[in-house]
Amino acid sequence: FSGLLPPLTPMQLEELRASLEQRKLMHPIIVWANHDDTIVDGHNRYAICQELGIPIKTEARLFKDRAEVLKFIYSVQAGRRNLTKEQLDYVRGKVYLEKKKTHGAESGGRGNQYTKVVSDQVEHLATAEIVAEEFSSKGDKVSAATIRRNASFAKDVDEQVAAAPPEQRADVKRELLSGKRKPKANGKPK
């Protein structure tokens, strides 16, 4: 999950390092308890604490799937950083793609339908509608069409980052998610 958002700038890393040196680790590193304690939140703090020999506190949390982890990361980061429009679009797109991949497909379906019981009625909802509802309930009013556009954007970003030389991938992702560079769709500039 460390690559979900662009890396901190050198200045942000130095500020974090100074804070950790002065106050030590105040907030625990969040790990995915039922998934080999994978770090969900705190990658930068973890690396700096390791480097400086600062004791690391962790907090294990249960998440039902990768999509739930992505939603958690989105909510934490939205309150912590000034995320760009592109970063928010990317995270919403990744949540949608992950949910589409995992839900519905478990029962042999195509992976894009949910069943929701609403006052004794069964309502089938497309994954994009469910994700839009989830994000809208957090105050981020978005439509299913926006979620599908976000997914397309996330795919385009991931493809362009994967196509870059390994040593340039972090910079390419930072530029794409900061709005300084527009992603290409199918190899063509948008």
Side-chain angles (χ1 to χ4, degrees):
F1 298 109
S2 64
L4 181 63
L5 295 171
L8 296 176
T9 65
M11 185 167 38
Q12 289 170 321
L13 277 172
E14 276 310 308
E15 289 171 357
L16 181 58
R17 180 184 311 282
S19 173
L20 289 171
E21 284 176 328
Q22 185 178 43
R23 295 186 227 140
K24 304 300 179 210
L25 183 63
M26 294 176 64
H27 302 286
I29 307 297
I30 306 298
V31 297
W32 189 356
N34 49 337
H35 201 267
D36 297 327
D37 287 342
T38 301
I39 295 176
V40 170
D41 178 54
H43 296 92
N44 293 305
R45 288 178 286 136
Y46 180 82
I48 293 170
C49 286
Q50 288 276 84
E51 182 183 318
L52 298 175
I54 296 171
I56 296 169
K57 297 179 248 174
T58 61
E59 179 182 321
R61 295 205 182 169
L62 294 172
F63 298 97
K64 69 178 179 182
D65 57 24
R66 188 174 166 83
E68 189 174 310
V69 172
L70 292 174
K71 278 188 350 195
F72 172 80
I73 291 169
Y74 167 80
S75 65
V76 167
Q77 293 303 322
R80 188 177 290 162
R81 297 185 191 183
N82 293 322
L83 296 181
T84 66
K85 175 195 177 308
E86 292 82 5
Q87 290 168 336
L88 294 173
D89 291 351
Y90 181 78
V91 173
R92 284 192 304 248
K94 294 295 277 186
V95 169
Y96 167 77
L97 292 169
E98 196 61 37
K99 273 193 177 279
K100 185 173 179 179
K101 183 170 49 174
T102 59
H103 290 83
E106 299 149 354
S107 60
R110 293 185 343 216
N112 67 350
Q113 297 293 313
Y114 279 86
T115 302
K116 180 178 171 183
V117 177
V118 182
S119 58
D120 298 330
Q121 293 181 343
V122 175
E123 181 180 348
H124 294 284
L125 298 174
T127 305
E129 291 169 337
I130 294 294
V131 174
E133 278 182 15
E134 290 171 353
F135 280 103
S136 292
S137 71
K138 294 185 184 332
D140 189 15
K141 301 290 182 202
V142 293
S143 67
T146 297
I147 296 297
R148 285 189 288 275
R149 282 191 301 275
N150 293 161
S152 177
F153 173 76
K155 282 182 190 176
D156 293 343
V157 167
D158 288 347
E159 287 170 6
Q160 195 164 337
V161 169
E167 67 277 2
Q168 294 177 7
R169 289 180 181 158
D171 290 334
V172 168
K173 189 167 194 174
R174 185 181 298 112
E175 288 177 8
L176 290 167
L177 296 183
S178 69
K180 291 180 182 174
R181 181 194 291 193
K182 297 293 179 201
K184 298 174 183 177
N186 301 321
K188 300 175 186 169
K190 281 190 168 182

PDB file of all heavy atoms in Angstrom, residues 88-126:
ATOM      1  N   LEU A  88      -7.319  12.077  -5.003  1.00  0.00           N
ATOM      2  CA  LEU A  88      -8.643  11.609  -4.579  1.00  0.00           C
ATOM      3  C   LEU A  88      -9.287  10.752  -5.670  1.00  0.00           C
ATOM      4  O   LEU A  88      -9.849   9.686  -5.382  1.00  0.00           O
ATOM      5  CB  LEU A  88      -9.548  12.792  -4.250  1.00  0.00           C
ATOM      6  CG  LEU A  88      -9.141  13.630  -3.039  1.00  0.00           C
ATOM      7  CD1 LEU A  88     -10.017  14.867  -2.932  1.00  0.00           C
ATOM      8  CD2 LEU A  88      -9.187  12.826  -1.771  1.00  0.00           C
ATOM      9  N   ASP A  89      -9.188  11.199  -6.915  1.00  0.00           N
ATOM     10  CA  ASP A  89      -9.737  10.427  -8.035  1.00  0.00           C
ATOM     11  C   ASP A  89      -9.076   9.057  -8.114  1.00  0.00           C
ATOM     12  O   ASP A  89      -9.738   8.039  -8.329  1.00  0.00           O
ATOM     13  CB  ASP A  89      -9.525  11.161  -9.364  1.00  0.00           C
ATOM     14  CG  ASP A  89     -10.364  12.421  -9.499  1.00  0.00           C
ATOM     15  OD1 ASP A  89     -11.250  12.661  -8.655  1.00  0.00           O
ATOM     16  OD2 ASP A  89     -10.111  13.182 -10.460  1.00  0.00           O
ATOM     17  N   TYR A  90      -7.770   9.031  -7.934  1.00  0.00           N
ATOM     18  CA  TYR A  90      -7.008   7.784  -8.023  1.00  0.00           C
ATOM     19  C   TYR A  90      -7.450   6.795  -6.942  1.00  0.00           C
ATOM     20  O   TYR A  90      -7.715   5.631  -7.227  1.00  0.00           O
ATOM     21  CB  TYR A  90      -5.514   8.093  -7.894  1.00  0.00           C
ATOM     22  CG  TYR A  90      -4.624   6.881  -7.991  1.00  0.00           C
ATOM     23  CD1 TYR A  90      -4.340   6.310  -9.227  1.00  0.00           C
ATOM     24  CD2 TYR A  90      -4.062   6.321  -6.862  1.00  0.00           C
ATOM     25  CE1 TYR A  90      -3.512   5.201  -9.320  1.00  0.00           C
ATOM     26  CE2 TYR A  90      -3.243   5.217  -6.943  1.00  0.00           C
ATOM     27  CZ  TYR A  90      -2.966   4.660  -8.178  1.00  0.00           C
ATOM     28  OH  TYR A  90      -2.148   3.556  -8.259  1.00  0.00           O
ATOM     29  N   VAL A  91      -7.560   7.266  -5.713  1.00  0.00           N
ATOM     30  CA  VAL A  91      -7.944   6.369  -4.613  1.00  0.00           C
ATOM     31  C   VAL A  91      -9.364   5.846  -4.808  1.00  0.00           C
ATOM     32  O   VAL A  91      -9.621   4.654  -4.636  1.00  0.00           O
ATOM     33  CB  VAL A  91      -7.776   7.061  -3.245  1.00  0.00           C
ATOM     34  CG1 VAL A  91      -8.332   6.193  -2.130  1.00  0.00           C
ATOM     35  CG2 VAL A  91      -6.310   7.358  -2.990  1.00  0.00           C
ATOM     36  N   ARG A  92     -10.299   6.726  -5.201  1.00  0.00           N
ATOM     37  CA  ARG A  92     -11.667   6.250  -5.454  1.00  0.00           C
ATOM     38  C   ARG A  92     -11.669   5.213  -6.564  1.00  0.00           C
ATOM     39  O   ARG A  92     -12.366   4.200  -6.488  1.00  0.00           O
ATOM     40  CB  ARG A  92     -12.585   7.427  -5.798  1.00  0.00           C
ATOM     41  CG  ARG A  92     -12.981   8.263  -4.618  1.00  0.00           C
ATOM     42  CD  ARG A  92     -14.100   9.231  -4.950  1.00  0.00           C
ATOM     43  NE  ARG A  92     -13.791  10.095  -6.061  1.00  0.00           N
ATOM     44  CZ  ARG A  92     -13.601  11.408  -5.991  1.00  0.00           C
ATOM     45  NH1 ARG A  92     -13.697  12.019  -4.838  1.00  0.00           N
ATOM     46  NH2 ARG A  92     -13.343  12.109  -7.068  1.00  0.00           N
ATOM     47  N   GLY A  93     -10.886   5.456  -7.616  1.00  0.00           N
ATOM     48  CA  GLY A  93     -10.797   4.495  -8.719  1.00  0.00           C
ATOM     49  C   GLY A  93     -10.236   3.163  -8.272  1.00  0.00           C
ATOM     50  O   GLY A  93     -10.722   2.102  -8.675  1.00  0.00           O
ATOM     51  N   LYS A  94      -9.214   3.194  -7.416  1.00  0.00           N
ATOM     52  CA  LYS A  94      -8.617   1.953  -6.923  1.00  0.00           C
ATOM     53  C   LYS A  94      -9.594   1.176  -6.045  1.00  0.00           C
ATOM     54  O   LYS A  94      -9.670  -0.051  -6.124  1.00  0.00           O
ATOM     55  CB  LYS A  94      -7.323   2.247  -6.141  1.00  0.00           C
ATOM     56  CG  LYS A  94      -6.208   2.814  -6.984  1.00  0.00           C
ATOM     57  CD  LYS A  94      -5.703   1.874  -8.037  1.00  0.00           C
ATOM     58  CE  LYS A  94      -4.708   0.910  -7.473  1.00  0.00           C
ATOM     59  NZ  LYS A  94      -4.084   0.055  -8.487  1.00  0.00           N
ATOM     60  N   VAL A  95     -10.361   1.886  -5.210  1.00  0.00           N
ATOM     61  CA  VAL A  95     -11.373   1.220  -4.376  1.00  0.00           C
ATOM     62  C   VAL A  95     -12.392   0.526  -5.273  1.00  0.00           C
ATOM     63  O   VAL A  95     -12.732  -0.646  -5.077  1.00  0.00           O
ATOM     64  CB  VAL A  95     -12.063   2.223  -3.425  1.00  0.00           C
ATOM     65  CG1 VAL A  95     -13.290   1.598  -2.763  1.00  0.00           C
ATOM     66  CG2 VAL A  95     -11.082   2.715  -2.368  1.00  0.00           C
ATOM     67  N   TYR A  96     -12.870   1.226  -6.281  1.00  0.00           N
ATOM     68  CA  TYR A  96     -13.854   0.648  -7.217  1.00  0.00           C
ATOM     69  C   TYR A  96     -13.284  -0.586  -7.908  1.00  0.00           C
ATOM     70  O   TYR A  96     -13.936  -1.637  -7.955  1.00  0.00           O
ATOM     71  CB  TYR A  96     -14.256   1.697  -8.258  1.00  0.00           C
ATOM     72  CG  TYR A  96     -15.015   1.110  -9.434  1.00  0.00           C
ATOM     73  CD1 TYR A  96     -16.353   0.757  -9.315  1.00  0.00           C
ATOM     74  CD2 TYR A  96     -14.379   0.901 -10.650  1.00  0.00           C
ATOM     75  CE1 TYR A  96     -17.046   0.220 -10.388  1.00  0.00           C
ATOM     76  CE2 TYR A  96     -15.066   0.365 -11.727  1.00  0.00           C
ATOM     77  CZ  TYR A  96     -16.395   0.028 -11.597  1.00  0.00           C
ATOM     78  OH  TYR A  96     -17.073  -0.519 -12.652  1.00  0.00           O
ATOM     79  N   LEU A  97     -12.085  -0.486  -8.451  1.00  0.00           N
ATOM     80  CA  LEU A  97     -11.495  -1.613  -9.184  1.00  0.00           C
ATOM     81  C   LEU A  97     -11.313  -2.821  -8.279  1.00  0.00           C
ATOM     82  O   LEU A  97     -11.551  -3.962  -8.694  1.00  0.00           O
ATOM     83  CB  LEU A  97     -10.159  -1.203  -9.813  1.00  0.00           C
ATOM     84  CG  LEU A  97     -10.274  -0.177 -10.944  1.00  0.00           C
ATOM     85  CD1 LEU A  97      -8.883   0.355 -11.310  1.00  0.00           C
ATOM     86  CD2 LEU A  97     -10.967  -0.779 -12.153  1.00  0.00           C
ATOM     87  N   GLU A  98     -10.913  -2.579  -7.042  1.00  0.00           N
ATOM     88  CA  GLU A  98     -10.718  -3.678  -6.099  1.00  0.00           C
ATOM     89  C   GLU A  98     -12.056  -4.325  -5.739  1.00  0.00           C
ATOM     90  O   GLU A  98     -12.182  -5.536  -5.699  1.00  0.00           O
ATOM     91  CB  GLU A  98     -10.004  -3.167  -4.852  1.00  0.00           C
ATOM     92  CG  GLU A  98      -9.423  -4.256  -4.007  1.00  0.00           C
ATOM     93  CD  GLU A  98      -8.365  -5.086  -4.721  1.00  0.00           C
ATOM     94  OE1 GLU A  98      -7.573  -4.547  -5.503  1.00  0.00           O
ATOM     95  OE2 GLU A  98      -8.358  -6.315  -4.485  1.00  0.00           O
ATOM     96  N   LYS A  99     -13.070  -3.514  -5.480  1.00  0.00           N
ATOM     97  CA  LYS A  99     -14.396  -4.060  -5.147  1.00  0.00           C
ATOM     98  C   LYS A  99     -14.970  -4.826  -6.330  1.00  0.00           C
ATOM     99  O   LYS A  99     -15.560  -5.884  -6.158  1.00  0.00           O
ATOM    100  CB  LYS A  99     -15.353  -2.940  -4.751  1.00  0.00           C
ATOM    101  CG  LYS A  99     -15.300  -2.582  -3.309  1.00  0.00           C
ATOM    102  CD  LYS A  99     -16.480  -1.703  -2.951  1.00  0.00           C
ATOM    103  CE  LYS A  99     -16.508  -1.375  -1.504  1.00  0.00           C
ATOM    104  NZ  LYS A  99     -17.072  -2.419  -0.673  1.00  0.00           N
ATOM    105  N   LYS A 100     -14.809  -4.279  -7.518  1.00  0.00           N
ATOM    106  CA  LYS A 100     -15.350  -4.933  -8.706  1.00  0.00           C
ATOM    107  C   LYS A 100     -14.689  -6.295  -8.909  1.00  0.00           C
ATOM    108  O   LYS A 100     -15.337  -7.263  -9.283  1.00  0.00           O
ATOM    109  CB  LYS A 100     -15.132  -4.051  -9.936  1.00  0.00           C
ATOM    110  CG  LYS A 100     -15.768  -4.610 -11.170  1.00  0.00           C
ATOM    111  CD  LYS A 100     -15.676  -3.641 -12.323  1.00  0.00           C
ATOM    112  CE  LYS A 100     -16.306  -4.275 -13.546  1.00  0.00           C
ATOM    113  NZ  LYS A 100     -16.276  -3.395 -14.694  1.00  0.00           N
ATOM    114  N   LYS A 101     -13.413  -6.356  -8.607  1.00  0.00           N
ATOM    115  CA  LYS A 101     -12.665  -7.598  -8.774  1.00  0.00           C
ATOM    116  C   LYS A 101     -13.093  -8.659  -7.762  1.00  0.00           C
ATOM    117  O   LYS A 101     -13.151  -9.826  -8.081  1.00  0.00           O
ATOM    118  CB  LYS A 101     -11.168  -7.291  -8.619  1.00  0.00           C
ATOM    119  CG  LYS A 101     -10.268  -8.476  -8.828  1.00  0.00           C
ATOM    120  CD  LYS A 101      -8.796  -8.091  -8.904  1.00  0.00           C
ATOM    121  CE  LYS A 101      -8.342  -7.207  -7.801  1.00  0.00           C
ATOM    122  NZ  LYS A 101      -6.897  -6.963  -7.796  1.00  0.00           N
ATOM    123  N   THR A 102     -13.405  -8.228  -6.535  1.00  0.00           N
ATOM    124  CA  THR A 102     -13.654  -9.210  -5.486  1.00  0.00           C
ATOM    125  C   THR A 102     -15.117  -9.513  -5.219  1.00  0.00           C
ATOM    126  O   THR A 102     -15.444 -10.621  -4.840  1.00  0.00           O
ATOM    127  CB  THR A 102     -13.009  -8.757  -4.154  1.00  0.00           C
ATOM    128  OG1 THR A 102     -13.560  -7.504  -3.783  1.00  0.00           O
ATOM    129  CG2 THR A 102     -11.512  -8.661  -4.275  1.00  0.00           C
ATOM    130  N   HIS A 103     -16.007  -8.552  -5.356  1.00  0.00           N
ATOM    131  CA  HIS A 103     -17.408  -8.776  -5.004  1.00  0.00           C
ATOM    132  C   HIS A 103     -18.211  -9.235  -6.212  1.00  0.00           C
ATOM    133  O   HIS A 103     -18.078  -8.703  -7.286  1.00  0.00           O
ATOM    134  CB  HIS A 103     -18.029  -7.517  -4.405  1.00  0.00           C
ATOM    135  CG  HIS A 103     -17.493  -7.221  -3.057  1.00  0.00           C
ATOM    136  ND1 HIS A 103     -16.309  -6.559  -2.864  1.00  0.00           N
ATOM    137  CD2 HIS A 103     -17.950  -7.539  -1.829  1.00  0.00           C
ATOM    138  CE1 HIS A 103     -16.072  -6.463  -1.582  1.00  0.00           C
ATOM    139  NE2 HIS A 103     -17.050  -7.047  -0.928  1.00  0.00           N
ATOM    140  N   GLY A 104     -19.036 -10.186  -5.992  1.00  0.00           N
ATOM    141  CA  GLY A 104     -19.853 -10.722  -7.076  1.00  0.00           C
ATOM    142  C   GLY A 104     -19.139 -11.864  -7.775  1.00  0.00           C
ATOM    143  O   GLY A 104     -19.735 -12.864  -8.112  1.00  0.00           O
ATOM    144  N   ALA A 105     -17.847 -11.726  -7.947  1.00  0.00           N
ATOM    145  CA  ALA A 105     -17.078 -12.772  -8.626  1.00  0.00           C
ATOM    146  C   ALA A 105     -16.964 -14.018  -7.748  1.00  0.00           C
ATOM    147  O   ALA A 105     -16.787 -15.115  -8.250  1.00  0.00           O
ATOM    148  CB  ALA A 105     -15.683 -12.259  -8.979  1.00  0.00           C
ATOM    149  N   GLU A 106     -17.101 -13.829  -6.426  1.00  0.00           N
ATOM    150  CA  GLU A 106     -16.985 -14.962  -5.510  1.00  0.00           C
ATOM    151  C   GLU A 106     -18.033 -16.037  -5.795  1.00  0.00           C
ATOM    152  O   GLU A 106     -17.788 -17.213  -5.624  1.00  0.00           O
ATOM    153  CB  GLU A 106     -17.142 -14.485  -4.064  1.00  0.00           C
ATOM    154  CG  GLU A 106     -16.094 -13.491  -3.656  1.00  0.00           C
ATOM    155  CD  GLU A 106     -16.605 -12.506  -2.629  1.00  0.00           C
ATOM    156  OE1 GLU A 106     -17.801 -12.513  -2.307  1.00  0.00           O
ATOM    157  OE2 GLU A 106     -15.786 -11.705  -2.162  1.00  0.00           O
ATOM    158  N   SER A 107     -19.202 -15.613  -6.237  1.00  0.00           N
ATOM    159  CA  SER A 107     -20.270 -16.578  -6.479  1.00  0.00           C
ATOM    160  C   SER A 107     -20.384 -16.930  -7.955  1.00  0.00           C
ATOM    161  O   SER A 107     -21.420 -17.381  -8.408  1.00  0.00           O
ATOM    162  CB  SER A 107     -21.598 -15.992  -5.977  1.00  0.00           C
ATOM    163  OG  SER A 107     -21.877 -14.786  -6.661  1.00  0.00           O
ATOM    164  N   GLY A 108     -19.300 -16.717  -8.690  1.00  0.00           N
ATOM    165  CA  GLY A 108     -19.299 -17.080 -10.100  1.00  0.00           C
ATOM    166  C   GLY A 108     -19.794 -15.983 -11.011  1.00  0.00           C
ATOM    167  O   GLY A 108     -19.882 -16.158 -12.220  1.00  0.00           O
ATOM    168  N   GLY A 109     -20.110 -14.815 -10.449  1.00  0.00           N
ATOM    169  CA  GLY A 109     -20.589 -13.701 -11.269  1.00  0.00           C
ATOM    170  C   GLY A 109     -19.451 -12.968 -11.943  1.00  0.00           C
ATOM    171  O   GLY A 109     -18.292 -13.364 -11.872  1.00  0.00           O
ATOM    172  N   ARG A 110     -19.805 -11.866 -12.575  1.00  0.00           N
ATOM    173  CA  ARG A 110     -18.810 -11.066 -13.287  1.00  0.00           C
ATOM    174  C   ARG A 110     -18.046 -10.149 -12.356  1.00  0.00           C
ATOM    175  O   ARG A 110     -17.091  -9.518 -12.752  1.00  0.00           O
ATOM    176  CB  ARG A 110     -19.487 -10.222 -14.371  1.00  0.00           C
ATOM    177  CG  ARG A 110     -20.054 -11.042 -15.468  1.00  0.00           C
ATOM    178  CD  ARG A 110     -20.603 -10.194 -16.584  1.00  0.00           C
ATOM    179  NE  ARG A 110     -20.823  -8.815 -16.202  1.00  0.00           N
ATOM    180  CZ  ARG A 110     -21.813  -8.069 -16.633  1.00  0.00           C
ATOM    181  NH1 ARG A 110     -22.695  -8.566 -17.447  1.00  0.00           N
ATOM    182  NH2 ARG A 110     -21.934  -6.816 -16.260  1.00  0.00           N
ATOM    183  N   GLY A 111     -18.480 -10.004 -11.148  1.00  0.00           N
ATOM    184  CA  GLY A 111     -17.759  -9.177 -10.201  1.00  0.00           C
ATOM    185  C   GLY A 111     -18.159  -7.721 -10.221  1.00  0.00           C
ATOM    186  O   GLY A 111     -17.391  -6.873  -9.840  1.00  0.00           O
ATOM    187  N   ASN A 112     -19.352  -7.404 -10.683  1.00  0.00           N
ATOM    188  CA  ASN A 112     -19.737  -6.000 -10.684  1.00  0.00           C
ATOM    189  C   ASN A 112     -21.159  -5.767 -10.166  1.00  0.00           C
ATOM    190  O   ASN A 112     -21.722  -4.724 -10.383  1.00  0.00           O
ATOM    191  CB  ASN A 112     -19.598  -5.393 -12.084  1.00  0.00           C
ATOM    192  CG  ASN A 112     -20.578  -5.984 -13.073  1.00  0.00           C
ATOM    193  OD1 ASN A 112     -21.237  -6.962 -12.775  1.00  0.00           O
ATOM    194  ND2 ASN A 112     -20.659  -5.404 -14.246  1.00  0.00           N
ATOM    195  N   GLN A 113     -21.725  -6.731  -9.466  1.00  0.00           N
ATOM    196  CA  GLN A 113     -23.086  -6.569  -8.962  1.00  0.00           C
ATOM    197  C   GLN A 113     -23.126  -6.831  -7.462  1.00  0.00           C
ATOM    198  O   GLN A 113     -22.471  -7.716  -6.955  1.00  0.00           O
ATOM    199  CB  GLN A 113     -24.049  -7.542  -9.652  1.00  0.00           C
ATOM    200  CG  GLN A 113     -24.178  -7.314 -11.135  1.00  0.00           C
ATOM    201  CD  GLN A 113     -24.857  -6.000 -11.464  1.00  0.00           C
ATOM    202  OE1 GLN A 113     -25.880  -5.685 -10.892  1.00  0.00           O
ATOM    203  NE2 GLN A 113     -24.285  -5.247 -12.367  1.00  0.00           N
ATOM    204  N   TYR A 114     -23.911  -6.041  -6.768  1.00  0.00           N
ATOM    205  CA  TYR A 114     -24.172  -6.228  -5.348  1.00  0.00           C
ATOM    206  C   TYR A 114     -25.649  -6.496  -5.180  1.00  0.00           C
ATOM    207  O   TYR A 114     -26.461  -6.059  -5.973  1.00  0.00           O
ATOM    208  CB  TYR A 114     -23.858  -4.946  -4.565  1.00  0.00           C
ATOM    209  CG  TYR A 114     -22.413  -4.751  -4.264  1.00  0.00           C
ATOM    210  CD1 TYR A 114     -21.580  -4.144  -5.188  1.00  0.00           C
ATOM    211  CD2 TYR A 114     -21.885  -5.172  -3.065  1.00  0.00           C
ATOM    212  CE1 TYR A 114     -20.241  -3.944  -4.904  1.00  0.00           C
ATOM    213  CE2 TYR A 114     -20.562  -4.974  -2.765  1.00  0.00           C
ATOM    214  CZ  TYR A 114     -19.750  -4.366  -3.686  1.00  0.00           C
ATOM    215  OH  TYR A 114     -18.442  -4.167  -3.403  1.00  0.00           O
ATOM    216  N   THR A 115     -25.973  -7.159  -4.094  1.00  0.00           N
ATOM    217  CA  THR A 115     -27.372  -7.318  -3.733  1.00  0.00           C
ATOM    218  C   THR A 115     -27.555  -6.615  -2.407  1.00  0.00           C
ATOM    219  O   THR A 115     -26.813  -6.847  -1.467  1.00  0.00           O
ATOM    220  CB  THR A 115     -27.738  -8.813  -3.605  1.00  0.00           C
ATOM    221  OG1 THR A 115     -27.449  -9.446  -4.846  1.00  0.00           O
ATOM    222  CG2 THR A 115     -29.190  -8.980  -3.256  1.00  0.00           C
ATOM    223  N   LYS A 116     -28.521  -5.748  -2.349  1.00  0.00           N
ATOM    224  CA  LYS A 116     -28.781  -4.968  -1.143  1.00  0.00           C
ATOM    225  C   LYS A 116     -30.245  -5.162  -0.778  1.00  0.00           C
ATOM    226  O   LYS A 116     -31.116  -5.047  -1.622  1.00  0.00           O
ATOM    227  CB  LYS A 116     -28.476  -3.498  -1.462  1.00  0.00           C
ATOM    228  CG  LYS A 116     -28.699  -2.534  -0.332  1.00  0.00           C
ATOM    229  CD  LYS A 116     -28.290  -1.139  -0.817  1.00  0.00           C
ATOM    230  CE  LYS A 116     -28.670  -0.075   0.151  1.00  0.00           C
ATOM    231  NZ  LYS A 116     -28.335   1.250  -0.356  1.00  0.00           N
ATOM    232  N   VAL A 117     -30.497  -5.474   0.488  1.00  0.00           N
ATOM    233  CA  VAL A 117     -31.873  -5.637   0.940  1.00  0.00           C
ATOM    234  C   VAL A 117     -32.350  -4.292   1.477  1.00  0.00           C
ATOM    235  O   VAL A 117     -31.734  -3.708   2.360  1.00  0.00           O
ATOM    236  CB  VAL A 117     -31.984  -6.720   2.026  1.00  0.00           C
ATOM    237  CG1 VAL A 117     -33.409  -6.829   2.531  1.00  0.00           C
ATOM    238  CG2 VAL A 117     -31.494  -8.050   1.496  1.00  0.00           C
ATOM    239  N   VAL A 118     -33.412  -3.783   0.894  1.00  0.00           N
ATOM    240  CA  VAL A 118     -33.988  -2.510   1.303  1.00  0.00           C
ATOM    241  C   VAL A 118     -35.442  -2.772   1.648  1.00  0.00           C
ATOM    242  O   VAL A 118     -36.252  -3.029   0.767  1.00  0.00           O
ATOM    243  CB  VAL A 118     -33.885  -1.461   0.160  1.00  0.00           C
ATOM    244  CG1 VAL A 118     -34.441  -0.126   0.611  1.00  0.00           C
ATOM    245  CG2 VAL A 118     -32.461  -1.328  -0.323  1.00  0.00           C
ATOM    246  N   SER A 119     -35.763  -2.728   2.929  1.00  0.00           N
ATOM    247  CA  SER A 119     -37.119  -2.981   3.440  1.00  0.00           C
ATOM    248  C   SER A 119     -37.812  -4.126   2.706  1.00  0.00           C
ATOM    249  O   SER A 119     -38.766  -3.929   1.980  1.00  0.00           O
ATOM    250  CB  SER A 119     -37.967  -1.700   3.415  1.00  0.00           C
ATOM    251  OG  SER A 119     -38.052  -1.184   2.111  1.00  0.00           O
ATOM    252  N   ASP A 120     -37.284  -5.306   2.885  1.00  0.00           N
ATOM    253  CA  ASP A 120     -37.819  -6.552   2.334  1.00  0.00           C
ATOM    254  C   ASP A 120     -37.766  -6.639   0.810  1.00  0.00           C
ATOM    255  O   ASP A 120     -38.328  -7.553   0.223  1.00  0.00           O
ATOM    256  CB  ASP A 120     -39.270  -6.799   2.793  1.00  0.00           C
ATOM    257  CG  ASP A 120     -39.356  -6.946   4.302  1.00  0.00           C
ATOM    258  OD1 ASP A 120     -38.364  -7.416   4.901  1.00  0.00           O
ATOM    259  OD2 ASP A 120     -40.401  -6.600   4.861  1.00  0.00           O
ATOM    260  N   GLN A 121     -37.120  -5.717   0.157  1.00  0.00           N
ATOM    261  CA  GLN A 121     -36.951  -5.807  -1.293  1.00  0.00           C
ATOM    262  C   GLN A 121     -35.472  -6.018  -1.592  1.00  0.00           C
ATOM    263  O   GLN A 121     -34.612  -5.472  -0.925  1.00  0.00           O
ATOM    264  CB  GLN A 121     -37.404  -4.519  -1.984  1.00  0.00           C
ATOM    265  CG  GLN A 121     -38.881  -4.277  -1.889  1.00  0.00           C
ATOM    266  CD  GLN A 121     -39.270  -2.997  -2.616  1.00  0.00           C
ATOM    267  OE1 GLN A 121     -38.445  -2.163  -2.902  1.00  0.00           O
ATOM    268  NE2 GLN A 121     -40.540  -2.880  -2.912  1.00  0.00           N
ATOM    269  N   VAL A 122     -35.206  -6.803  -2.591  1.00  0.00           N
ATOM    270  CA  VAL A 122     -33.833  -7.031  -3.001  1.00  0.00           C
ATOM    271  C   VAL A 122     -33.527  -6.076  -4.150  1.00  0.00           C
ATOM    272  O   VAL A 122     -34.263  -6.010  -5.125  1.00  0.00           O
ATOM    273  CB  VAL A 122     -33.617  -8.499  -3.446  1.00  0.00           C
ATOM    274  CG1 VAL A 122     -32.215  -8.683  -3.981  1.00  0.00           C
ATOM    275  CG2 VAL A 122     -33.873  -9.434  -2.281  1.00  0.00           C
ATOM    276  N   GLU A 123     -32.474  -5.332  -3.975  1.00  0.00           N
ATOM    277  CA  GLU A 123     -32.083  -4.352  -4.979  1.00  0.00           C
ATOM    278  C   GLU A 123     -30.679  -4.722  -5.467  1.00  0.00           C
ATOM    279  O   GLU A 123     -29.761  -4.878  -4.674  1.00  0.00           O
ATOM    280  CB  GLU A 123     -32.079  -2.961  -4.345  1.00  0.00           C
ATOM    281  CG  GLU A 123     -31.721  -1.858  -5.290  1.00  0.00           C
ATOM    282  CD  GLU A 123     -31.734  -0.501  -4.587  1.00  0.00           C
ATOM    283  OE1 GLU A 123     -32.226  -0.407  -3.456  1.00  0.00           O
ATOM    284  OE2 GLU A 123     -31.228   0.435  -5.189  1.00  0.00           O
ATOM    285  N   HIS A 124     -30.523  -4.891  -6.776  1.00  0.00           N
ATOM    286  CA  HIS A 124     -29.212  -5.186  -7.339  1.00  0.00           C
ATOM    287  C   HIS A 124     -28.576  -3.870  -7.743  1.00  0.00           C
ATOM    288  O   HIS A 124     -29.164  -3.088  -8.487  1.00  0.00           O
ATOM    289  CB  HIS A 124     -29.333  -6.109  -8.558  1.00  0.00           C
ATOM    290  CG  HIS A 124     -29.831  -7.460  -8.192  1.00  0.00           C
ATOM    291  ND1 HIS A 124     -29.042  -8.401  -7.588  1.00  0.00           N
ATOM    292  CD2 HIS A 124     -31.058  -8.023  -8.297  1.00  0.00           C
ATOM    293  CE1 HIS A 124     -29.737  -9.486  -7.360  1.00  0.00           C
ATOM    294  NE2 HIS A 124     -30.978  -9.282  -7.776  1.00  0.00           N
ATOM    295  N   LEU A 125     -27.392  -3.621  -7.221  1.00  0.00           N
ATOM    296  CA  LEU A 125     -26.702  -2.376  -7.509  1.00  0.00           C
ATOM    297  C   LEU A 125     -25.357  -2.660  -8.164  1.00  0.00           C
ATOM    298  O   LEU A 125     -24.649  -3.585  -7.764  1.00  0.00           O
ATOM    299  CB  LEU A 125     -26.468  -1.577  -6.225  1.00  0.00           C
ATOM    300  CG  LEU A 125     -27.701  -1.125  -5.466  1.00  0.00           C
ATOM    301  CD1 LEU A 125     -27.292  -0.478  -4.153  1.00  0.00           C
ATOM    302  CD2 LEU A 125     -28.512  -0.151  -6.301  1.00  0.00           C
ATOM    303  N   ALA A 126     -25.005  -1.865  -9.136  1.00  0.00           N
ATOM    304  CA  ALA A 126     -23.696  -1.983  -9.753  1.00  0.00           C
ATOM    305  C   ALA A 126     -22.644  -1.518  -8.749  1.00  0.00           C
ATOM    306  O   ALA A 126     -22.912  -0.684  -7.883  1.00  0.00           O
ATOM    307  CB  ALA A 126     -23.640  -1.138 -11.018  1.00  0.00           C
TER     308      ALA A 126
END
